[in-house]
Amino acid sequence: MTTNPQITVLIDDSDLHNELRADVRGGMASHPKWMPPKWFYDKRGSALFEQITQLPDYYPTRCETEILLEHSKDIVTAAKAHTIVELGSGMSEKTRILLDAFHNHGDLRAYYPFDVSDVTVEDSLEILTQTYPHLKLGGVVGDFTRHLHHLPTGEGRLVVLLGSTIGNMLPTERAELLTNLRQELKPGEQFLLGADLVKDTQTLIAAYDDPQGVTAKFNKNLLHVLNRHFDGDFQPENFSHVVIWDDKAAVIEMRLRAQKGMRVDLSALDMELTFQAGEDLHTSVSTKFRPDALRAELDAAGFGVTHHWDDERNYYTLLLAEAI
Ligand code: AVJ
């Protein structure tokens, strides 16, 4: 293809700013205080997450890459896709493994990244144009929890959601996403999902509480983001990075714990926050799945799991499901 990829833009910086403001007003007035994890990822936060993926203790990215490398040919054969749409694509080096496999063993005609970050969609398309000149490329800048009705159309679609991104969602949010996605697909179209599995507590905690302190920096970056957007005076060094495994909910929680009582001004919002000493701001959940329960969630949304590929230690799973 020589034409430039078409990008559908459904969201811009001012939409994001307004959404963040609404999340601050809602979350900071709650008990406990909480913020959704998607706000970690400004430029610095994305770079810190990239560093996290290289940490010896952060296994999910390595496991997923290993599974993709080991089984990409099987995935291509099983999925029989002509069109791939990738949700929360990021810069996705991992996708390249799939695209290469489809190039060598399949009949892929089009690839569409779908991500909230315009820069990310543009940059990844620019690189992909050069690497895969025969692939039809396009993209969507949008929030896949709200804009799935703009899912790109095409023959024989495979929708891909990697990186255990689904673990960041609460059960009701997952049910809604899966149901909405199922509605967009025709029977027989496919969904490839990467999910982190329940394992021993030590391994889980270590992945989110590295001795290098990178994850702590990443967690505290949320406060930098709030300072920048709302002219705030959070002092990130006065909060500690806290990681908790909730066995019942099967989630790793990250929190920021106030080391002393303090007041924080968010001038642009005319808001003053009070933190008691020891008070927690809840900043994310990373759900770890039990294979049967995850299948049941897909089932309930009208997907049938046809294949799964795991790493050697059964730390992580890739599921292929088809719309029933
Ligand atoms: C990108 C959401 C999958 O929850 O494991 C890594 C983000 N947070 N370390 C995860 C994250 C802290 C990551 N996800």
Side-chain angles (χ1 to χ4, degrees):
M1 292 285 152
T2 44
T3 48
N4 276 333
Q6 293 249 355
I7 301 179
T8 307
V9 180
L10 305 169
I11 198 169
D12 65 16
D13 286 349
S14 100
D15 296 328
L16 287 171
H17 180 81
N18 291 338
E19 215 184 307
L20 176 55
R21 178 171 47 218
D23 283 350
V24 170
R25 289 204 195 282
M28 294 298 185
S30 300
H31 306 280
K33 294 182 174 69
W34 74 285
M35 285 292 292
K38 64 177 172 189
W39 303 113
F40 288 130
Y41 300 92
D42 65 347
K43 204 162 178 233
R44 177 168 179 265
S46 301
L48 284 167
F49 178 65
E50 191 57 39
Q51 278 184 46
I52 288 175
T53 65
Q54 322 271 335
L55 292 169
D57 289 320
Y58 191 76
Y59 61 83
T61 310
R62 261 188 305 278
C63 286
E64 190 175 65
T65 304
E66 181 190 314
I67 298 169
L68 283 169
L69 284 170
E70 178 91 11
H71 301 289
S72 59
K73 191 175 173 184
D74 300 341
I75 297 170
V76 168
T77 311
K80 294 187 191 66
H82 302 307
T83 305
I84 292 182
V85 180
E86 182 172 19
L87 305 179
S89 46
M91 282 304 289
S92 232
E93 271 84 52
K94 279 177 274 182
T95 315
R96 251 50 85 71
I97 303 171
L98 273 183
L99 292 180
D100 287 340
F102 271 97
H103 179 80
N104 293 327
H105 310 293
D107 181 16
L108 187 68
R109 297 163 201 168
Y111 173 75
Y112 300 94
F114 191 131
D115 199 279
V116 278
S117 156
D118 50 0
V119 187
T120 302
V121 171
E122 287 158 15
D123 288 359
S124 71
L125 284 175
E126 193 177 320
I127 297 171
L128 292 170
T129 312
Q130 290 159 22
T131 326
Y132 304 97
H134 299 293
L135 210 50
K136 179 171 184 201
L137 294 168
V140 181
V141 178
D143 178 342
F144 64 74
T145 66
R146 292 191 290 130
H147 298 132
L148 264 197
H149 50 288
H150 291 277
L151 198 73
T153 53
E155 224 189 305
R157 285 174 299 178
L158 169 68
V159 174
V160 176
L161 180 58
L162 295 177
S164 199
T165 303
I166 195 159
N168 255 192
M169 307 177 82
L170 301 172
T172 52
E173 296 171 332
R174 294 199 296 271
E176 197 183 335
L177 171 74
L178 294 173
T179 308
N180 290 344
L181 178 60
R182 170 60 194 87
Q183 263 175 16
E184 291 302 317
L185 298 177
K186 299 187 188 77
E189 288 190 311
Q190 311 267 329
F191 179 41
L192 183 68
L193 177 65
D196 197 13
L197 299 174
V198 172
K199 59 188 65 61
D200 69 281
T201 310
Q202 233 186 339
T203 303
L204 287 170
I205 298 260
Y208 294 84
D209 200 7
D210 57 291
Q212 296 86 343
V214 182
T215 309
K217 266 198 205 161
F218 173 77
N219 195 7
K220 291 179 192 183
N221 188 54
L222 175 69
L223 305 180
H224 292 284
V225 170
L226 296 178
N227 282 348
R228 181 160 46 78
H229 274 267
F230 304 117
D231 192 17
D233 63 358
F234 269 109
Q235 294 185 286
E237 65 279 11
N238 290 339
F239 288 83
S240 0
H241 171 64
V242 172
V243 177
I244 291 168
W245 167 245
D246 175 345
D247 191 59
K248 195 154 166 276
V251 302
I252 285 279
E253 283 190 15
M254 291 205 311
R255 305 178 181 182
L256 289 169
R257 182 166 296 166
Q259 290 162 358
K260 55 183 188 191
M262 55 187 119
R263 289 168 197 275
V264 176
D265 241 345
L266 295 173
S267 312
L269 296 181
D270 248 326
M271 223 173 154
E272 191 185 53
L273 309 174
T274 332
F275 285 87
Q276 309 296 321
E279 185 179 342
D280 284 346
L281 166 61
H282 293 231
T283 53
S284 86
V285 297
S286 298
T287 311
K288 308 302 165 186
F289 295 91
R290 299 188 166 89
D292 292 350
L294 184 54
R295 273 166 189 261
E297 287 188 30
L298 284 155
D299 237 41
F303 285 101
V305 175
T306 56
H307 298 74
H308 69 98
W309 298 276
D310 305 343
D311 60 304
E312 257 170 19
R313 294 178 295 187
N314 287 101
Y315 273 15
Y316 197 93
T317 192
L318 273 190
L319 294 181
L320 184 68
E322 94 180 339
I324 304 294

